[in-house]
Amino acid sequence: IVDLKRTVGPGQVLGRMELDTQDGQLGTAKAIRPTELLFIDKSVLQQLRNTYAPLSNQLDRSEVIGNLRAAPYFSPLSDFEIKWLSDIATLVSLPADKAIYRRGQPAQDAFVLRQGRVRIEPMSASDTRWISAGSVFGERSAIETVYRQATATTETVSHLFVLPADDLRTII
């Protein structure tokens, strides 16, 4: 038995993984404060997905799963763990020359670059490196709960998945 914990915020989906399995309930949800939930029957949800493409896109995590599965860093993870990570991943788009994080900041997230180019600048300029699509970065600081040792800046318009450190530490 694996104990996976995560916090779900307003507007986020809970129970998405159960939609992909015939095994039924995969876990238990517990509210830590007064909470309002909208329960949608599986058959009604399917009708909504067929009618509203944006909802279908939000619930269909196959692209996220594919991007995570393609990253060598996550290759040791099981299909269940990859699906779990896909459930917590948030896709963000950033313009060129935008700092993703700065040296000295607390590490709260790790990132998977989906598209674009990012410059990682440690204290020594000679150690500057560039990463491209499919790369995982910021994970070491996030997992070890330390301050950032480098600054990460987009060089082009970039799309990246953000993985909250607390959730990532549960899996890795």
Side-chain angles (χ1 to χ4, degrees):
I1 294 177
V2 178
D3 186 21
L4 300 176
K5 295 179 182 178
R6 70 178 255 243
T7 302
V8 179
Q12 291 183 311
V13 176
L14 180 67
R16 182 186 350 240
M17 287 178 56
E18 281 81 354
L19 297 174
D20 296 334
T21 181
Q22 300 301 318
D23 297 337
Q25 181 178 335
L26 297 175
T28 302
K30 178 177 139 182
I32 55 175
R33 60 180 164 262
T35 304
E36 291 182 5
L37 295 174
L38 173 63
F39 172 80
I40 302 175
D41 183 81
K42 205 171 185 178
S43 61
V44 172
L45 182 60
Q46 189 57 45
Q47 289 174 338
L48 289 170
R49 288 174 87 168
N50 292 338
T51 306
Y52 301 103
L55 176 63
S56 184
N57 292 339
Q58 182 181 2
L59 292 173
D60 181 14
R61 302 303 279 182
S62 59
E63 181 185 353
V64 180
I65 291 168
N67 279 274
L68 295 175
R69 177 59 66 209
Y73 183 80
F74 297 121
S75 63
L77 299 182
S78 69
D79 286 343
F80 177 82
E81 291 166 324
I82 290 289
K83 284 182 180 180
W84 193 84
L85 276 180
S86 78
D87 221 24
I88 64 167
T90 304
L91 180 64
V92 296
S93 298
L94 299 174
D97 298 317
K98 176 76 173 172
I100 300 166
Y101 57 78
R102 297 186 186 281
R103 182 176 33 256
Q105 288 180 331
Q108 299 174 333
D109 303 299
F111 306 90
V112 179
L113 185 58
R114 178 176 172 247
Q115 182 180 9
R117 184 172 155 106
V118 172
R119 181 179 62 248
I120 307 291
E121 299 174 274
M123 289 183 70
S124 169
S126 64
D127 293 333
T128 297
R129 62 190 175 99
W130 289 263
I131 60 172
S132 56
S135 298
V136 177
F137 64 101
E139 77 286 356
R140 190 174 309 133
S141 296
I143 290 170
E144 295 174 5
T145 318
V146 297
Y147 292 94
R148 298 286 183 192
Q149 301 299 310
T151 297
T153 307
T154 59
E155 287 212 329
T156 63
V157 172
S158 298
H159 308 283
L160 43 118
F161 295 107
V162 180
L163 301 168
D166 289 339
D167 295 320
L168 188 59
R169 279 191 296 275
T170 300
I171 289 287
I172 302 298

